[in-house]
Amino acid sequence: MTTTTNEYSVALSFEDGVTRFINVPPGQTVADASYRARINIPLDCRDGACGTCKAFCESGEYDGGDYIEDALTDEEAEAGYCLPCQMTPESDLVLRISGTAEMAKSGIGQFAATLEKLHWYADNTAALTISVEDRGKLRYLPGQYMNLKVPGTEEERSYSFSSGPDADELTFLVRTAPNGVMTTYLKERAREGDSLILEGPMGSFFLREVKRPVLMLAGGTGIAPQLAMLEKIVSSGAAPDFPIHLAYGVTFDKDLVEVEALERYVEAIPGFTFDTIVAYPDSAHPKKGYVTQHLAPKHLNDGDVDVYLCGPPAMVDAVRRYWGSEGITPANFYYERFAVGVPHAPALQPGQDAA
Ligand code: FES
């Protein structure tokens, strides 16, 4: 979301998946801005001497400041490591911070919201459109998720945003589960205008700077975070320098959703292409089987590719095996596994394999 003129937005991504955003005026260090925001990132000397604050910059430009080799080696700096006590942003940044948000005494954000619209694609997939009271305070990275308290219960479930971070209203895709608490709410009790509570944002599965070709792989409602990423690319206004391909697999034809949105992204994003694949053998869909059966060498680019996968655990494992069988090690493999109908936290395991 927007920041005060001249301030940079810095996302602090903690090891427990919590992300907090701070605004940093030009010339101010990330550590000072964090302190003002009452977020206690790891610090000791504050002088570029000890290395305690060492973080990893996922995207953005900055001046690294003054420090000694003991705190940060040239190789580390070259690889993207940085010292928040010394660094001053020169653009919006995403920083991976060592330690948890809890250690930083930074709680997770909670937001009052309203269910504006409930749309069923089929009997098993719903789209929720949600407005948040204080929308300006809910900032997130494309690909992240929120925990949604299920009205009338003590339970919560987690859903990735399918809307881009700049959207006024938030959207989420929900895949139903037999006797699931969210499914029961949506099918039996939900009314437009219902009050909701959202917590987050969470997750380390988010779009990084596009520095090489991108391959997106989505299974089922795993398409949601990919939609948010594509929306962010559109709203940034800059055409990516590299091609982006999405392979979107589902079990049955009726599970395919938001295909029209993907077609719009083909128009809006130069170099974006996508395939839809249906696993069910009796489907009349032109592409059947698994997503890996429909990847071409140009999509793999001899491994010089950043891969973003969101899908069920079996899909993550199958894609990992596929890299092995093809002898490919992607430059970066970011993934998020989800299970339907279970609390998100233990079920969802974001991860990253980097070459
Ligand atoms: Fe010591 Fe940053 S706190 S180098």
Side-chain angles (χ1 to χ4, degrees), residues 42-53 71 83 85-86:
L43 289 173
D44 189 358
C45 71
R46 292 174 166 265
D47 203 25
C50 70
T52 300
C53 64
L83 298 174
C85 74
Q86 298 300 300

Side-chain angles (χ1 to χ4, degrees), residues 124-172:
N124 63 354
T125 310
L128 277 54
T129 302
I130 290 173
S131 64
V132 173
E133 263 176 32
D134 213 344
R135 177 66 184 88
K137 290 195 173 152
L138 174 47
R139 292 151 70 180
Y140 60 94
L141 300 170
Q144 290 193 303
Y145 67 89
M146 294 292 278
N147 294 331
L148 172 55
K149 289 188 187 295
V150 184
T153 77
E154 295 299 309
E155 306 224 27
E156 57 183 35
R157 294 289 183 269
S158 303
Y159 300 101
S160 301
F161 297 92
S162 58
S163 47
D166 301 318
D168 289 337
E169 291 188 322
L170 311 175
T171 55
F172 302 88

Side-chain angles (χ1 to χ4, degrees), residues 242-286:
F242 300 94
I244 298 172
H245 181 72
L246 165 70
Y248 169 28
V250 296
T251 305
F252 301 105
D253 292 75
K254 69 174 183 177
D255 302 335
L256 280 174
V257 301
E258 297 285 359
V259 176
E260 286 177 7
L262 295 175
E263 284 163 355
R264 286 198 298 275
Y265 290 130
V266 170
E267 298 296 317
I269 303 173
F272 173 64
T273 53
F274 77 94
D275 282 325
T276 56
I277 300 113
V278 175
Y280 184 55
D282 293 340
S283 165
H285 198 77

